[in-house]
Amino acid sequence: MKYPRSSDTIYDVAIIGAGFSGVAVAYHLARRAAQHSQSLSCLVFEPRERIGAGVAYQTQSSAHILNVPAGRMSVDESDPQSFLRWLINNGHAYSENDFVPRPLYQAYLSEIFNELKNDSPDFSLEVIAEHASALEHDESAYEVKNAAGASHRARNVILAVGNSPASGEADIDSSLKSPWDQSAIDSCASDSKVAVIGSGLSAVDTILALEAASFKGHYTLISRRGLLPQPHGTHGHIETTTQTAADLVSARPTIAEMLHEFRGAIEQGVAWRDLIDALRPSTQKIWNRLPSRSKRSFIRHLRPFWDSHRHRVPVESLSVLLDLKQNGRLTSIKGRVLSHAKSSAGVTLTVQTRGRASTTRFDSVFDCRGLWTDLRASRCSLLDSIIRSGTAHYDELALGLRTDKNGKLLSAKGTPLAIYTLGSLRRGELWETTAVREIRTQARLIAESILPEQQPQRKVGNS
Ligand SMILES: Cc1cc2nc3c(=O)[nH]c(=O)nc-3n(C[C@H](O)[C@H](O)[C@H](O)COP(=O)(O)OP(=O)(O)OC[C@H]3O[C@@H](n4cnc5c(N)ncnc54)[C@H](O)[C@@H]3O)c2cc1C
């Protein structure tokens, strides 16, 4: 790791966060700089020890596997075999349809990042193991500050801060355990009573990690709708489905009309997985043209159903949960957690089910409620600083920030700034924006915006 230059240095780019998004942006900037023979200096802020880990790939448990097959996880859409090649070159015998342990994906991202440092003399990449706490601007550059007030300057800033506040700013109440904390998993006594709030991907992860740690106790899964993620599975006639989806999109229906069409298509034999997958290239377009009222209503009423069908898990992961249910070790409750309280004997949860509240004691409770649904509730000091200074603005649903099509934040007057974001902070505007497939495209667009095609110089003089 190189040591950052003096405080007078103005970097071309500061990347805040080096989970998947930060690595993908660094990768695309390096490629673009090399293609156009341009020089570029980047400074990356990342307090976590491991580059590429972020929230999703920080796990060190091989029980946690990717939800997407290896052949679709390349950092570069123009080189789709990149991850698979890395696996094979490193002695991991997987094929493109395999679901690979997530720690291997972090190792792939980390190696890509490290190689960028030696890629070209014109591209420099420095890492500072710090948490960025504030962002300010003077006449010539942005100043990224840490908690102690020390600052580094850059002409462009990329907010690649992802799904949750960085370590040190945990938003989770201390009586609830984090699904991503291996010591929380290890601290559960083998025959204890565990509650899991939420029943999505992180709930599945928590249970898989506990099972891998030889937990033999009981799980209570609490979620409003009691929906588990659907498994990946067989597909039908993708061409017919793509046409059905294209017809749906061009007809510009309301959500209710779309649901009606969906049901009709499924009744006629179209596979629901194909329908959802065929919609994916158009999801952002559909979302974009919905009125805010419909977006809010979708989030309130349909989101759990959308999430459980759209964000699917490998069959093997789900069958662990179904077996536990069958063996009486897992109970699923449809309900709302009203409150929780720590006691010497564990944590008590008050849960409302069918209008009645009841209180139960658990030895441990894991908070698996997933992504923010309201950015205003986040306790991220960096986001707070740019919102309070009036630099950035929430999108209309406050799921993320207002951006232009390249991910540039917009000022109050709608002027694009030299601050970019990608991934979950664009959820309000794009909805479908949290997976590798969408983020890598956003990373490429950011690189193209920072390093635009250079126009050939026009000849001046007599001719
Ligand atoms: C459990 C899980 C599994 C997933 N599996 C898949 C999958 O199989 N396939 C797929 O396509 N997608 C998957 N996803 C989606 C996932 O969101 C993306 O793949 C991707 O990891 C998002 O990366 P990110 O860098 O945007 O965010 P994050 O992973 O959240 O990383 C953000 C990084 O920014 C750093 N940071 C935050 N704030 C600051 C700050 N102020 N200063 C400095 N650094 C900061 C954090 O430390 C962190 O390292 C999964 C998501 C989760 C949660």
Side-chain angles (χ1 to χ4, degrees), residues 16-17 19-21 45-48 54-57 66-68 73 102 130-132 160-163 166 180 205 434-436 439:
I16 305 180
F20 175 76
S21 296
F45 291 75
E46 176 53 71
R48 287 178 203 261
V55 172
Y57 314 118
L66 294 171
N67 303 315
V68 175
M73 287 295 286
R102 295 212 296 266
E130 277 178 12
H131 175 257
V161 294
N163 293 314
W180 321 119
D205 265 5
T434 55
V436 160
I439 296 176

PDB file of all heavy atoms in Angstrom, residues 16-17 19-21 45-48 54-57 66-68 73 102 130-132 160-163 166 180 205 434-436 439, ligand 1:
ATOM      1  N   ILE A  16     -14.880   6.795  -2.390  1.00  0.00           N
ATOM      2  CA  ILE A  16     -15.175   6.545  -0.968  1.00  0.00           C
ATOM      3  C   ILE A  16     -15.900   5.210  -0.858  1.00  0.00           C
ATOM      4  O   ILE A  16     -17.050   5.073  -1.268  1.00  0.00           O
ATOM      5  CB  ILE A  16     -15.996   7.700  -0.367  1.00  0.00           C
ATOM      6  CG1 ILE A  16     -15.230   9.006  -0.603  1.00  0.00           C
ATOM      7  CG2 ILE A  16     -16.240   7.456   1.124  1.00  0.00           C
ATOM      8  CD1 ILE A  16     -15.896  10.230  -0.067  1.00  0.00           C
ATOM      9  N   GLY A  17     -15.190   4.226  -0.343  1.00  0.00           N
ATOM     10  CA  GLY A  17     -15.739   2.878  -0.210  1.00  0.00           C
ATOM     11  C   GLY A  17     -15.117   1.937  -1.232  1.00  0.00           C
ATOM     12  O   GLY A  17     -14.996   2.288  -2.414  1.00  0.00           O
ATOM     13  N   GLY A  19     -16.067  -1.599  -1.515  1.00  0.00           N
ATOM     14  CA  GLY A  19     -16.798  -2.859  -1.657  1.00  0.00           C
ATOM     15  C   GLY A  19     -16.816  -3.134  -3.156  1.00  0.00           C
ATOM     16  O   GLY A  19     -15.954  -2.642  -3.910  1.00  0.00           O
ATOM     17  N   PHE A  20     -17.827  -3.881  -3.639  1.00  0.00           N
ATOM     18  CA  PHE A  20     -17.866  -4.165  -5.079  1.00  0.00           C
ATOM     19  C   PHE A  20     -17.869  -2.867  -5.899  1.00  0.00           C
ATOM     20  O   PHE A  20     -17.128  -2.730  -6.875  1.00  0.00           O
ATOM     21  CB  PHE A  20     -19.088  -5.022  -5.452  1.00  0.00           C
ATOM     22  CG  PHE A  20     -19.179  -5.205  -6.933  1.00  0.00           C
ATOM     23  CD1 PHE A  20     -18.331  -6.081  -7.579  1.00  0.00           C
ATOM     24  CD2 PHE A  20     -20.059  -4.440  -7.690  1.00  0.00           C
ATOM     25  CE1 PHE A  20     -18.359  -6.209  -8.955  1.00  0.00           C
ATOM     26  CE2 PHE A  20     -20.097  -4.565  -9.068  1.00  0.00           C
ATOM     27  CZ  PHE A  20     -19.246  -5.460  -9.704  1.00  0.00           C
ATOM     28  N   SER A  21     -18.696  -1.884  -5.482  1.00  0.00           N
ATOM     29  CA  SER A  21     -18.838  -0.664  -6.291  1.00  0.00           C
ATOM     30  C   SER A  21     -17.520   0.079  -6.431  1.00  0.00           C
ATOM     31  O   SER A  21     -17.151   0.504  -7.539  1.00  0.00           O
ATOM     32  CB  SER A  21     -19.867   0.285  -5.664  1.00  0.00           C
ATOM     33  OG  SER A  21     -21.137  -0.296  -5.672  1.00  0.00           O
ATOM     34  N   PHE A  45     -10.811   5.602  -0.099  1.00  0.00           N
ATOM     35  CA  PHE A  45     -11.032   5.538   1.355  1.00  0.00           C
ATOM     36  C   PHE A  45     -11.767   4.245   1.674  1.00  0.00           C
ATOM     37  O   PHE A  45     -12.848   4.010   1.123  1.00  0.00           O
ATOM     38  CB  PHE A  45     -11.934   6.697   1.823  1.00  0.00           C
ATOM     39  CG  PHE A  45     -11.282   8.039   1.731  1.00  0.00           C
ATOM     40  CD1 PHE A  45     -11.122   8.671   0.514  1.00  0.00           C
ATOM     41  CD2 PHE A  45     -10.830   8.675   2.881  1.00  0.00           C
ATOM     42  CE1 PHE A  45     -10.521   9.911   0.426  1.00  0.00           C
ATOM     43  CE2 PHE A  45     -10.223   9.916   2.806  1.00  0.00           C
ATOM     44  CZ  PHE A  45     -10.061  10.537   1.584  1.00  0.00           C
ATOM     45  N   GLU A  46     -11.197   3.412   2.538  1.00  0.00           N
ATOM     46  CA  GLU A  46     -11.904   2.190   2.938  1.00  0.00           C
ATOM     47  C   GLU A  46     -11.400   1.748   4.320  1.00  0.00           C
ATOM     48  O   GLU A  46     -10.269   1.305   4.454  1.00  0.00           O
ATOM     49  CB  GLU A  46     -11.690   1.070   1.913  1.00  0.00           C
ATOM     50  CG  GLU A  46     -12.299  -0.268   2.294  1.00  0.00           C
ATOM     51  CD  GLU A  46     -13.788  -0.221   2.653  1.00  0.00           C
ATOM     52  OE1 GLU A  46     -14.604  -0.028   1.756  1.00  0.00           O
ATOM     53  OE2 GLU A  46     -14.129  -0.359   3.867  1.00  0.00           O
ATOM     54  N   PRO A  47     -12.251   1.859   5.336  1.00  0.00           N
ATOM     55  CA  PRO A  47     -11.800   1.478   6.675  1.00  0.00           C
ATOM     56  C   PRO A  47     -11.702  -0.029   6.900  1.00  0.00           C
ATOM     57  O   PRO A  47     -11.004  -0.472   7.802  1.00  0.00           O
ATOM     58  CB  PRO A  47     -12.881   2.074   7.597  1.00  0.00           C
ATOM     59  CG  PRO A  47     -14.085   2.227   6.735  1.00  0.00           C
ATOM     60  CD  PRO A  47     -13.605   2.411   5.330  1.00  0.00           C
ATOM     61  N   ARG A  48     -12.407  -0.816   6.080  1.00  0.00           N
ATOM     62  CA  ARG A  48     -12.341  -2.274   6.295  1.00  0.00           C
ATOM     63  C   ARG A  48     -10.973  -2.801   5.894  1.00  0.00           C
ATOM     64  O   ARG A  48     -10.341  -2.274   4.974  1.00  0.00           O
ATOM     65  CB  ARG A  48     -13.382  -2.995   5.440  1.00  0.00           C
ATOM     66  CG  ARG A  48     -14.793  -2.828   5.924  1.00  0.00           C
ATOM     67  CD  ARG A  48     -15.729  -3.554   4.976  1.00  0.00           C
ATOM     68  NE  ARG A  48     -17.060  -2.997   5.086  1.00  0.00           N
ATOM     69  CZ  ARG A  48     -18.032  -3.534   5.810  1.00  0.00           C
ATOM     70  NH1 ARG A  48     -17.833  -4.652   6.454  1.00  0.00           N
ATOM     71  NH2 ARG A  48     -19.215  -2.951   5.864  1.00  0.00           N
ATOM     72  N   GLY A  54     -16.851  -5.316   1.501  1.00  0.00           N
ATOM     73  CA  GLY A  54     -18.118  -4.621   1.695  1.00  0.00           C
ATOM     74  C   GLY A  54     -19.030  -5.412   2.608  1.00  0.00           C
ATOM     75  O   GLY A  54     -18.567  -6.228   3.422  1.00  0.00           O
ATOM     76  N   VAL A  55     -20.322  -5.195   2.478  1.00  0.00           N
ATOM     77  CA  VAL A  55     -21.282  -5.928   3.307  1.00  0.00           C
ATOM     78  C   VAL A  55     -21.476  -7.347   2.748  1.00  0.00           C
ATOM     79  O   VAL A  55     -21.473  -8.330   3.481  1.00  0.00           O
ATOM     80  CB  VAL A  55     -22.631  -5.183   3.341  1.00  0.00           C
ATOM     81  CG1 VAL A  55     -23.690  -6.013   4.037  1.00  0.00           C
ATOM     82  CG2 VAL A  55     -22.465  -3.843   4.032  1.00  0.00           C
ATOM     83  N   ALA A  56     -21.595  -7.436   1.418  1.00  0.00           N
ATOM     84  CA  ALA A  56     -22.001  -8.706   0.813  1.00  0.00           C
ATOM     85  C   ALA A  56     -20.913  -9.777   0.864  1.00  0.00           C
ATOM     86  O   ALA A  56     -21.209 -10.947   1.049  1.00  0.00           O
ATOM     87  CB  ALA A  56     -22.415  -8.463  -0.633  1.00  0.00           C
ATOM     88  N   TYR A  57     -19.660  -9.365   0.687  1.00  0.00           N
ATOM     89  CA  TYR A  57     -18.595 -10.361   0.524  1.00  0.00           C
ATOM     90  C   TYR A  57     -17.605 -10.360   1.685  1.00  0.00           C
ATOM     91  O   TYR A  57     -16.498 -10.853   1.574  1.00  0.00           O
ATOM     92  CB  TYR A  57     -17.908 -10.163  -0.848  1.00  0.00           C
ATOM     93  CG  TYR A  57     -18.945  -9.980  -1.940  1.00  0.00           C
ATOM     94  CD1 TYR A  57     -19.028  -8.806  -2.682  1.00  0.00           C
ATOM     95  CD2 TYR A  57     -19.905 -10.965  -2.159  1.00  0.00           C
ATOM     96  CE1 TYR A  57     -20.037  -8.621  -3.630  1.00  0.00           C
ATOM     97  CE2 TYR A  57     -20.908 -10.787  -3.101  1.00  0.00           C
ATOM     98  CZ  TYR A  57     -20.974  -9.619  -3.829  1.00  0.00           C
ATOM     99  OH  TYR A  57     -21.967  -9.441  -4.748  1.00  0.00           O
ATOM    100  N   LEU A  66     -22.752 -17.230  -3.338  1.00  0.00           N
ATOM    101  CA  LEU A  66     -23.318 -16.176  -4.191  1.00  0.00           C
ATOM    102  C   LEU A  66     -24.729 -16.581  -4.603  1.00  0.00           C
ATOM    103  O   LEU A  66     -25.028 -17.770  -4.721  1.00  0.00           O
ATOM    104  CB  LEU A  66     -22.460 -15.978  -5.435  1.00  0.00           C
ATOM    105  CG  LEU A  66     -21.051 -15.435  -5.220  1.00  0.00           C
ATOM    106  CD1 LEU A  66     -20.252 -15.493  -6.526  1.00  0.00           C
ATOM    107  CD2 LEU A  66     -21.107 -13.988  -4.711  1.00  0.00           C
ATOM    108  N   ASN A  67     -25.558 -15.568  -4.842  1.00  0.00           N
ATOM    109  CA  ASN A  67     -26.928 -15.857  -5.284  1.00  0.00           C
ATOM    110  C   ASN A  67     -27.034 -15.874  -6.800  1.00  0.00           C
ATOM    111  O   ASN A  67     -28.119 -16.064  -7.346  1.00  0.00           O
ATOM    112  CB  ASN A  67     -27.889 -14.791  -4.753  1.00  0.00           C
ATOM    113  CG  ASN A  67     -27.812 -14.718  -3.260  1.00  0.00           C
ATOM    114  OD1 ASN A  67     -27.796 -15.742  -2.602  1.00  0.00           O
ATOM    115  ND2 ASN A  67     -27.714 -13.505  -2.719  1.00  0.00           N
ATOM    116  N   VAL A  68     -25.909 -15.605  -7.447  1.00  0.00           N
ATOM    117  CA  VAL A  68     -25.879 -15.517  -8.907  1.00  0.00           C
ATOM    118  C   VAL A  68     -24.763 -16.462  -9.376  1.00  0.00           C
ATOM    119  O   VAL A  68     -23.707 -16.500  -8.754  1.00  0.00           O
ATOM    120  CB  VAL A  68     -25.580 -14.048  -9.326  1.00  0.00           C
ATOM    121  CG1 VAL A  68     -25.424 -13.915 -10.828  1.00  0.00           C
ATOM    122  CG2 VAL A  68     -26.671 -13.111  -8.806  1.00  0.00           C
ATOM    123  N   MET A  73     -20.933 -13.089 -12.826  1.00  0.00           N
ATOM    124  CA  MET A  73     -20.423 -12.226 -11.749  1.00  0.00           C
ATOM    125  C   MET A  73     -19.145 -11.479 -12.136  1.00  0.00           C
ATOM    126  O   MET A  73     -18.473 -10.910 -11.273  1.00  0.00           O
ATOM    127  CB  MET A  73     -20.176 -13.069 -10.493  1.00  0.00           C
ATOM    128  CG  MET A  73     -21.446 -13.514  -9.782  1.00  0.00           C
ATOM    129  SD  MET A  73     -22.421 -12.150  -9.087  1.00  0.00           S
ATOM    130  CE  MET A  73     -21.434 -11.707  -7.661  1.00  0.00           C
ATOM    131  N   ARG A 102     -18.978 -17.035  -1.273  1.00  0.00           N
ATOM    132  CA  ARG A 102     -18.731 -15.592  -1.386  1.00  0.00           C
ATOM    133  C   ARG A 102     -17.307 -15.173  -1.026  1.00  0.00           C
ATOM    134  O   ARG A 102     -16.789 -14.224  -1.607  1.00  0.00           O
ATOM    135  CB  ARG A 102     -19.770 -14.816  -0.566  1.00  0.00           C
ATOM    136  CG  ARG A 102     -21.177 -14.981  -1.121  1.00  0.00           C
ATOM    137  CD  ARG A 102     -22.031 -13.752  -0.906  1.00  0.00           C
ATOM    138  NE  ARG A 102     -22.266 -13.456   0.473  1.00  0.00           N
ATOM    139  CZ  ARG A 102     -23.336 -13.861   1.165  1.00  0.00           C
ATOM    140  NH1 ARG A 102     -24.280 -14.560   0.571  1.00  0.00           N
ATOM    141  NH2 ARG A 102     -23.491 -13.542   2.417  1.00  0.00           N
ATOM    142  N   GLU A 130      -9.221   4.772   6.016  1.00  0.00           N
ATOM    143  CA  GLU A 130      -9.961   5.723   6.852  1.00  0.00           C
ATOM    144  C   GLU A 130     -11.409   5.782   6.436  1.00  0.00           C
ATOM    145  O   GLU A 130     -11.756   5.545   5.280  1.00  0.00           O
ATOM    146  CB  GLU A 130      -9.361   7.130   6.692  1.00  0.00           C
ATOM    147  CG  GLU A 130      -8.166   7.353   7.573  1.00  0.00           C
ATOM    148  CD  GLU A 130      -7.558   8.723   7.361  1.00  0.00           C
ATOM    149  OE1 GLU A 130      -8.195   9.572   6.702  1.00  0.00           O
ATOM    150  OE2 GLU A 130      -6.436   8.924   7.856  1.00  0.00           O
ATOM    151  N   HIS A 131     -12.201   6.199   7.402  1.00  0.00           N
ATOM    152  CA  HIS A 131     -13.613   6.412   7.185  1.00  0.00           C
ATOM    153  C   HIS A 131     -13.789   7.884   6.809  1.00  0.00           C
ATOM    154  O   HIS A 131     -13.310   8.758   7.512  1.00  0.00           O
ATOM    155  CB  HIS A 131     -14.303   6.070   8.506  1.00  0.00           C
ATOM    156  CG  HIS A 131     -15.741   6.342   8.490  1.00  0.00           C
ATOM    157  ND1 HIS A 131     -16.299   7.425   9.095  1.00  0.00           N
ATOM    158  CD2 HIS A 131     -16.744   5.658   7.916  1.00  0.00           C
ATOM    159  CE1 HIS A 131     -17.598   7.404   8.898  1.00  0.00           C
ATOM    160  NE2 HIS A 131     -17.888   6.334   8.191  1.00  0.00           N
ATOM    161  N   ALA A 132     -14.420   8.165   5.656  1.00  0.00           N
ATOM    162  CA  ALA A 132     -14.641   9.567   5.270  1.00  0.00           C
ATOM    163  C   ALA A 132     -15.870  10.086   6.020  1.00  0.00           C
ATOM    164  O   ALA A 132     -16.933   9.478   5.941  1.00  0.00           O
ATOM    165  CB  ALA A 132     -14.862   9.645   3.768  1.00  0.00           C
ATOM    166  N   ALA A 160     -19.122   5.459  -3.104  1.00  0.00           N
ATOM    167  CA  ALA A 160     -19.379   4.021  -3.321  1.00  0.00           C
ATOM    168  C   ALA A 160     -19.613   3.391  -1.962  1.00  0.00           C
ATOM    169  O   ALA A 160     -19.015   2.379  -1.622  1.00  0.00           O
ATOM    170  CB  ALA A 160     -18.196   3.388  -4.048  1.00  0.00           C
ATOM    171  N   VAL A 161     -20.487   4.034  -1.165  1.00  0.00           N
ATOM    172  CA  VAL A 161     -20.616   3.658   0.252  1.00  0.00           C
ATOM    173  C   VAL A 161     -21.609   2.526   0.498  1.00  0.00           C
ATOM    174  O   VAL A 161     -21.709   2.025   1.611  1.00  0.00           O
ATOM    175  CB  VAL A 161     -20.983   4.881   1.130  1.00  0.00           C
ATOM    176  CG1 VAL A 161     -19.861   5.889   1.141  1.00  0.00           C
ATOM    177  CG2 VAL A 161     -22.276   5.515   0.672  1.00  0.00           C
ATOM    178  N   GLY A 162     -22.332   2.141  -0.548  1.00  0.00           N
ATOM    179  CA  GLY A 162     -23.097   0.908  -0.503  1.00  0.00           C
ATOM    180  C   GLY A 162     -24.298   0.838   0.399  1.00  0.00           C
ATOM    181  O   GLY A 162     -25.045   1.801   0.584  1.00  0.00           O
ATOM    182  N   ASN A 163     -24.397  -0.345   0.991  1.00  0.00           N
ATOM    183  CA  ASN A 163     -25.635  -0.754   1.651  1.00  0.00           C
ATOM    184  C   ASN A 163     -25.830  -0.268   3.066  1.00  0.00           C
ATOM    185  O   ASN A 163     -26.917  -0.303   3.593  1.00  0.00           O
ATOM    186  CB  ASN A 163     -25.673  -2.283   1.702  1.00  0.00           C
ATOM    187  CG  ASN A 163     -25.792  -2.876   0.325  1.00  0.00           C
ATOM    188  OD1 ASN A 163     -26.604  -2.423  -0.451  1.00  0.00           O
ATOM    189  ND2 ASN A 163     -24.986  -3.851   0.020  1.00  0.00           N
ATOM    190  N   ALA A 166     -20.436   2.475   7.205  1.00  0.00           N
ATOM    191  CA  ALA A 166     -19.200   1.721   7.363  1.00  0.00           C
ATOM    192  C   ALA A 166     -19.027   1.291   8.804  1.00  0.00           C
ATOM    193  O   ALA A 166     -19.687   1.807   9.698  1.00  0.00           O
ATOM    194  CB  ALA A 166     -18.036   2.588   6.952  1.00  0.00           C
ATOM    195  N   TRP A 180     -23.858 -10.261   9.893  1.00  0.00           N
ATOM    196  CA  TRP A 180     -22.537 -10.329   9.238  1.00  0.00           C
ATOM    197  C   TRP A 180     -21.401 -10.501  10.235  1.00  0.00           C
ATOM    198  O   TRP A 180     -20.250 -10.433   9.890  1.00  0.00           O
ATOM    199  CB  TRP A 180     -22.285  -9.059   8.413  1.00  0.00           C
ATOM    200  CG  TRP A 180     -23.497  -8.579   7.708  1.00  0.00           C
ATOM    201  CD1 TRP A 180     -24.109  -7.382   7.863  1.00  0.00           C
ATOM    202  CD2 TRP A 180     -24.251  -9.288   6.728  1.00  0.00           C
ATOM    203  NE1 TRP A 180     -25.198  -7.299   7.063  1.00  0.00           N
ATOM    204  CE2 TRP A 180     -25.311  -8.459   6.355  1.00  0.00           C
ATOM    205  CE3 TRP A 180     -24.131 -10.546   6.143  1.00  0.00           C
ATOM    206  CZ2 TRP A 180     -26.255  -8.836   5.418  1.00  0.00           C
ATOM    207  CZ3 TRP A 180     -25.078 -10.928   5.211  1.00  0.00           C
ATOM    208  CH2 TRP A 180     -26.116 -10.085   4.861  1.00  0.00           C
ATOM    209  N   ASP A 205     -28.801 -16.319   5.231  1.00  0.00           N
ATOM    210  CA  ASP A 205     -27.361 -16.336   5.557  1.00  0.00           C
ATOM    211  C   ASP A 205     -27.108 -16.650   7.024  1.00  0.00           C
ATOM    212  O   ASP A 205     -26.210 -17.410   7.362  1.00  0.00           O
ATOM    213  CB  ASP A 205     -26.778 -14.938   5.315  1.00  0.00           C
ATOM    214  CG  ASP A 205     -26.165 -14.833   3.946  1.00  0.00           C
ATOM    215  OD1 ASP A 205     -26.272 -15.792   3.175  1.00  0.00           O
ATOM    216  OD2 ASP A 205     -25.568 -13.778   3.670  1.00  0.00           O
ATOM    217  N   THR A 434     -28.898  -2.770  -7.181  1.00  0.00           N
ATOM    218  CA  THR A 434     -28.028  -3.228  -6.094  1.00  0.00           C
ATOM    219  C   THR A 434     -27.186  -4.456  -6.441  1.00  0.00           C
ATOM    220  O   THR A 434     -26.369  -4.878  -5.625  1.00  0.00           O
ATOM    221  CB  THR A 434     -28.843  -3.536  -4.813  1.00  0.00           C
ATOM    222  OG1 THR A 434     -29.855  -4.464  -5.146  1.00  0.00           O
ATOM    223  CG2 THR A 434     -29.455  -2.298  -4.209  1.00  0.00           C
ATOM    224  N   ALA A 435     -27.376  -5.033  -7.603  1.00  0.00           N
ATOM    225  CA  ALA A 435     -26.617  -6.256  -7.919  1.00  0.00           C
ATOM    226  C   ALA A 435     -25.440  -5.938  -8.841  1.00  0.00           C
ATOM    227  O   ALA A 435     -25.373  -4.873  -9.459  1.00  0.00           O
ATOM    228  CB  ALA A 435     -27.533  -7.281  -8.564  1.00  0.00           C
ATOM    229  N   VAL A 436     -24.527  -6.896  -8.935  1.00  0.00           N
ATOM    230  CA  VAL A 436     -23.311  -6.736  -9.736  1.00  0.00           C
ATOM    231  C   VAL A 436     -23.640  -6.309 -11.172  1.00  0.00           C
ATOM    232  O   VAL A 436     -22.998  -5.413 -11.725  1.00  0.00           O
ATOM    233  CB  VAL A 436     -22.516  -8.072  -9.712  1.00  0.00           C
ATOM    234  CG1 VAL A 436     -21.531  -8.182 -10.857  1.00  0.00           C
ATOM    235  CG2 VAL A 436     -21.830  -8.221  -8.355  1.00  0.00           C
ATOM    236  N   ILE A 439     -24.515  -2.613 -11.193  1.00  0.00           N
ATOM    237  CA  ILE A 439     -23.465  -1.732 -10.657  1.00  0.00           C
ATOM    238  C   ILE A 439     -22.265  -1.655 -11.605  1.00  0.00           C
ATOM    239  O   ILE A 439     -21.673  -0.596 -11.798  1.00  0.00           O
ATOM    240  CB  ILE A 439     -23.021  -2.202  -9.247  1.00  0.00           C
ATOM    241  CG1 ILE A 439     -24.184  -2.076  -8.254  1.00  0.00           C
ATOM    242  CG2 ILE A 439     -21.845  -1.384  -8.746  1.00  0.00           C
ATOM    243  CD1 ILE A 439     -23.871  -2.598  -6.846  1.00  0.00           C
TER     244      ILE A 439
HETATM  245  C1  LIG B   1     -25.522 -10.738   1.702  1.00  0.00           C
HETATM  246  C2  LIG B   1     -25.550 -10.227   0.313  1.00  0.00           C
HETATM  247  C3  LIG B   1     -25.291 -11.080  -0.746  1.00  0.00           C
HETATM  248  C4  LIG B   1     -25.291 -10.608  -2.043  1.00  0.00           C
HETATM  249  N1  LIG B   1     -25.031 -11.470  -3.067  1.00  0.00           N
HETATM  250  C5  LIG B   1     -25.025 -11.014  -4.326  1.00  0.00           C
HETATM  251  C6  LIG B   1     -24.748 -11.892  -5.440  1.00  0.00           C
HETATM  252  O1  LIG B   1     -24.535 -13.087  -5.258  1.00  0.00           O
HETATM  253  N2  LIG B   1     -24.746 -11.359  -6.684  1.00  0.00           N
HETATM  254  C7  LIG B   1     -25.009 -10.045  -6.916  1.00  0.00           C
HETATM  255  O2  LIG B   1     -24.999  -9.604  -8.075  1.00  0.00           O
HETATM  256  N3  LIG B   1     -25.270  -9.195  -5.891  1.00  0.00           N
HETATM  257  C8  LIG B   1     -25.284  -9.654  -4.625  1.00  0.00           C
HETATM  258  N4  LIG B   1     -25.551  -8.792  -3.599  1.00  0.00           N
HETATM  259  C9  LIG B   1     -25.806  -7.373  -3.907  1.00  0.00           C
HETATM  260  C10 LIG B   1     -24.653  -6.482  -3.446  1.00  0.00           C
HETATM  261  O3  LIG B   1     -25.293  -5.372  -2.882  1.00  0.00           O
HETATM  262  C11 LIG B   1     -23.717  -6.021  -4.526  1.00  0.00           C
HETATM  263  O4  LIG B   1     -23.236  -7.158  -5.179  1.00  0.00           O
HETATM  264  C12 LIG B   1     -22.488  -5.235  -4.044  1.00  0.00           C
HETATM  265  O5  LIG B   1     -21.771  -6.019  -3.139  1.00  0.00           O
HETATM  266  C13 LIG B   1     -22.761  -3.872  -3.442  1.00  0.00           C
HETATM  267  O6  LIG B   1     -21.489  -3.313  -3.187  1.00  0.00           O
HETATM  268  P1  LIG B   1     -21.255  -1.832  -2.717  1.00  0.00           P
HETATM  269  O7  LIG B   1     -19.785  -1.593  -2.824  1.00  0.00           O
HETATM  270  O8  LIG B   1     -22.148  -0.913  -3.439  1.00  0.00           O
HETATM  271  O9  LIG B   1     -21.723  -1.811  -1.205  1.00  0.00           O
HETATM  272  P2  LIG B   1     -21.093  -2.445   0.144  1.00  0.00           P
HETATM  273  O10 LIG B   1     -20.863  -3.890  -0.055  1.00  0.00           O
HETATM  274  O11 LIG B   1     -22.015  -2.014   1.196  1.00  0.00           O
HETATM  275  O12 LIG B   1     -19.683  -1.721   0.300  1.00  0.00           O
HETATM  276  C14 LIG B   1     -19.549  -0.356   0.648  1.00  0.00           C
HETATM  277  C15 LIG B   1     -18.157  -0.118   1.189  1.00  0.00           C
HETATM  278  O13 LIG B   1     -18.022   1.272   1.489  1.00  0.00           O
HETATM  279  C16 LIG B   1     -17.352   1.434   2.713  1.00  0.00           C
HETATM  280  N5  LIG B   1     -17.808   2.707   3.289  1.00  0.00           N
HETATM  281  C17 LIG B   1     -19.077   3.046   3.638  1.00  0.00           C
HETATM  282  N6  LIG B   1     -19.095   4.307   4.127  1.00  0.00           N
HETATM  283  C18 LIG B   1     -17.818   4.767   4.051  1.00  0.00           C
HETATM  284  C19 LIG B   1     -17.196   5.998   4.427  1.00  0.00           C
HETATM  285  N7  LIG B   1     -17.910   7.020   4.921  1.00  0.00           N
HETATM  286  N8  LIG B   1     -15.853   6.137   4.260  1.00  0.00           N
HETATM  287  C20 LIG B   1     -15.117   5.112   3.726  1.00  0.00           C
HETATM  288  N9  LIG B   1     -15.657   3.925   3.357  1.00  0.00           N
HETATM  289  C21 LIG B   1     -16.989   3.754   3.530  1.00  0.00           C
HETATM  290  C22 LIG B   1     -17.779   0.237   3.565  1.00  0.00           C
HETATM  291  O14 LIG B   1     -16.803  -0.047   4.550  1.00  0.00           O
HETATM  292  C23 LIG B   1     -17.884  -0.863   2.496  1.00  0.00           C
HETATM  293  O15 LIG B   1     -16.682  -1.570   2.363  1.00  0.00           O
HETATM  294  C24 LIG B   1     -25.567  -9.251  -2.294  1.00  0.00           C
HETATM  295  C25 LIG B   1     -25.842  -8.393  -1.221  1.00  0.00           C
HETATM  296  C26 LIG B   1     -25.823  -8.866   0.068  1.00  0.00           C
HETATM  297  C27 LIG B   1     -26.102  -7.922   1.194  1.00  0.00           C
END
